[in-house]
Structure formats: C-alpha cells, structure tokens
Amino acid sequence: MAARVDALYIFLLIVTGMMALLVFVLILFFAARFRHRPGIRAEQIEGSTALEITWSVIPFFVFMAIFAWGAVVYFKERTPPADATEVYVVAKQWMWKLEHAEGQREINELHVPVGRDVKLIMTSQDVIHSFYIPAFRIKQDVLPGRYTVEWFRATKPGVYHLFCAEYCGTQHSGMVGSIVVMEPAEYEAWMNGGSTGPLSASGEKVFAELGCATCHRSDMQGRGPDLKGVFGKPVQLEDGRTVTADENYVRESILDPGSRRVKGFQPIMPTFQGLVSEEQVNALVAYIKSISDAKARDGAKTSAGLAAPRAPVEKDGSRAVQAKAQVNGSQVQRP
Ligand code: CUA
C-alpha cells in the first residue's frame, strides 16, 4: 500500500510544484515585460473566452484523474482480502491490547510474518483512539462501541512504529508500540512459543459460561436463533429489514440485542453490556465466526501453520484454565 500512496503523493507534489513554479516564473516575466516605461501606455484587455475555457477544462480533467486515482487507492486500502489473518485490537487509555486468532496475546506489540495479509478488527474500551502505522501508510480511528477495520501486508522484516493518532488524554503521546515483522520461520517459532488455544476456543468457553447455548440451540427448538452458519450471511429482521451478520452485527446483538432483532424471535434476550469485557466480545465474535465458516476456522490454523501443523488442543481442564485466564485478564503470553 505504501508504494501506491507514495506514488499518488509524489504525483500531487510534482503537479502542485510545477504550478507554483509556473506562477512564479510568470510573475517575474510579466514584471519585467510590462514594467513602467516613460511614453508607453498600457493596453487594456477585455478578457478571453478561449483562455478561460482552457484553464477551466484542463484542470478539471487533472482533478478528476487525481480523484479517480485516489479513489482506487482508497478502496484498495479499505477492503481487506477475504482470507486475511485476523487480529483483534482493544484500545484503552493508554495501551494497545492485541489478540491473534490463534490465541496469542500481546500488549503494544504485534508480531506478524512477512508477506501475509493481516486484518485488524479494532474497538476501544473508553475513548476514541487511532491505530496508525506510518511505515505502512495506514491509519484508522478506533471507536468505543463498535468495530472498525484496517489491514496491511508487510513486505520487509523489521520493527515499525505504531502510534495512537487521536488525542485521547494525558498520556496519549505515550500510547505507542511496535509492529514486529518477521521471516515466516522465525514467526512460526514465536507463535509456538506462547501457544494458547485459539481465540474462537476462548469464545466457545465464554459462550458456555454465559449460558448462551440454552437459548441458541441447533435443534431449532431454542428461544434464540441457531448461530451455526449465520456469520457473513444476510439476516431477516423483525422490522422487515435485512442485514449482514458481520462483526458489528454480532457485537451489537450481544450488547444491545433488542435493537436489530431476528425475525420470528421474541425480545427476551438480556443485554450483556457491562457483563462481558471487550476481549470476551471479541472471543465470542471469533467463535460465532468459527461455527459459521469452516474455511475461516481452518484458515486460522493453516495461516498459523505455514510450516508445521500445530498439535490439537486437548479437551481437558488445562485448556479451560487457560481459556479462563485469557478471558479474565489482559496478561501477555509471549515467549
Ligand atoms: Cu490513544 Cu491517543
């Protein structure tokens, strides 16, 4: 993305630079050419339609070209590839909490492999922040109460600055971090070092703990809609509208279930506002996603397993303990 943004920016600099140069050269030229000389009177000119049309039409097409070019870059930057690896970001005063789909948690640091599309699904626990990686030319506001998304594909190993780019209180300037881009093998080693269960597994745990499954059952006898296969699909609402069950819709349905209720169900679901943390909501979203799309689930695994496949997570107490630790706190688990 950086090369695209830079190309457009350099083009703008050249165009505006050339115009500025033209204006200054003409000022000097006219000042000399039409300077006051004794005995010579100025000739009055009454406008020129041809000249005016020329200097309106040419800039119009130049501006439209810039607009079209900018729009193409913008839509590329705003549209994450479908198979991108997902990382959940929770901003708070004054730190970044990041959680990989595979379960790794980090604070103020994000490790990614070279050459992989990474989609950041971001929300804030308090005020508005902004996730800004200058080297990647991406910046996106992070808002409380909803998800925003940005994505990148790092092309060179290294450590890149991460800034909060939205004034968010006294320590805003300290809300910084780094993006660590690693070679795939190195990344693999890092990934396996602090291995915990995948994020969707902690979501499954939260789903069970909160008793969601008592209503959201797969046998169509439940008081709530069956959530298998729902994610990413259109949903018919009680008020006749249709929405896509994306991250923001799932999130809203957890925190404010009455606002866009699924057709055919009673408004009996309580809100979970204040009962679940941002991390738990993220985990639930990842879980709902995982039971909807086998590809997404496998994708999370295969993207983690560029080289060796990972050992299956045991279905015993140790995972439950891990999952609990994951959803309860904001501790970092890294090698
Ligand atoms: Cu967060 Cu500024």
Side-chain angles (χ1 to χ4, degrees):
M1 199 54 67
R4 288 173 199 277
V5 173
D6 287 0
L8 178 58
Y9 195 75
I10 289 166
F11 175 76
L12 288 173
L13 279 179
I14 290 172
V15 168
T16 51
M18 274 172 27
M19 284 311 294
L21 194 67
L22 179 66
V23 169
F24 279 100
V25 166
L26 287 178
I27 287 173
L28 293 175
F29 172 74
F30 289 145
R33 175 81 171 76
F34 299 110
R35 70 188 182 280
H36 174 71
R37 276 169 291 184
I40 299 176
R41 295 198 63 90
E43 205 182 301
Q44 295 305 318
I45 299 169
E46 293 299 328
S48 160
T49 309
L51 188 61
E52 286 177 23
I53 288 175
T54 308
W55 76 39
S56 301
V57 169
I58 293 177
F60 174 77
F61 284 108
V62 172
F63 292 150
M64 289 314 286
I66 294 170
F67 168 70
W69 187 351
V72 168
V73 172
Y74 177 81
F75 283 112
K76 274 235 161 8
E77 180 150 338
R78 297 316 310 163
T79 318
D83 56 352
T85 303
E86 295 180 344
V87 175
Y88 286 82
V89 178
V90 177
K92 61 172 274 195
Q93 290 168 318
W94 288 274
M95 63 164 74
W96 298 104
K97 297 186 280 185
L98 301 108
E99 188 160 9
H100 295 249
E102 295 85 359
Q104 264 75 7
R105 299 165 68 101
E106 307 190 58
I107 286 181
N108 292 342
E109 247 186 3
L110 174 61
H111 288 74
V112 291
V114 140
R116 185 184 304 170
D117 297 332
V118 179
K119 174 181 171 186
L120 303 170
I121 302 172
M122 311 184 292
T123 189
S124 166
Q125 219 169 282
D126 37 49
V127 299
I128 301 178
H129 303 271
S130 180
F131 199 96
Y132 179 33
I133 313 171
F136 300 171
R137 311 291 190 271
I138 56 168
K139 171 156 60 173
Q140 170 62 51
D141 274 12
V142 180
L143 310 172
R146 58 177 287 189
Y147 288 119
T148 51
V149 159
E150 67 181 341
W151 77 280
F152 62 86
R153 179 171 58 236
T155 52
K156 237 191 264 176
V159 179
Y160 303 94
H161 286 297
L162 159 66
F163 293 111
C164 177
E166 184 68 55
Y167 181 66
C168 57
T170 50
Q171 288 171 53
H172 155 73
S173 65
M175 194 170 164
V176 296
S178 42
I179 311 297
V180 183
V181 179
M182 309 164 99
E183 295 292 354
E186 218 182 318
Y187 177 75
E188 209 50 52
W190 178 87
M191 254 300 169
N192 292 329
S195 184
T196 56
L199 184 58
S200 53
S202 359
E204 189 175 2
K205 188 84 176 46
V206 177
F207 196 82
E209 280 174 357
L210 294 174
C212 308
T214 53
C215 293
H216 293 287
R217 285 159 50 175
S218 52
D219 57 7
M220 296 309 282
Q221 301 291 311
R223 284 169 291 177
D226 177 21
L227 300 176
K228 275 205 186 66
V230 159
F231 192 85
K233 302 274 159 45
V235 175
Q236 278 257 299
L237 300 185
E238 193 60 45
D239 61 12
R241 286 178 301 162
T242 302
V243 294
T244 302
D246 57 5
E247 285 98 352
N248 270 313
Y249 180 69
V250 174
R251 175 195 178 81
E252 182 191 84
S253 300
I254 296 166
L255 301 177
D256 185 12
S259 65
R260 288 191 288 175
R261 185 157 44 89
V262 177
K263 192 178 166 71
F265 291 93
Q266 296 304 308
I268 51 170
M269 177 168 161
T271 172
F272 285 84
Q273 187 87 53
L275 298 175
V276 284
S277 68
E278 290 298 342
E279 283 84 353
Q280 286 173 314
V281 176
N282 290 346
L284 285 170
V285 170
Y287 171 62
I288 302 300
K289 217 182 263 188
S290 73
I291 57 173
S292 290
D293 184 7
K295 195 186 62 126
R297 207 172 3 176
D298 297 344
K301 275 183 210 144
T302 46
S303 58
L306 273 184
R310 286 146 57 90
V313 185
E314 290 139 325
K315 290 238 183 243
D316 64 16
S318 70
R319 187 182 77 172
V321 170
Q322 271 179 349
K324 193 154 200 150
Q326 266 187 315
V327 296
N328 284 344
S330 56
Q331 69 273 54
V332 203
Q333 301 194 338
R334 289 196 289 114

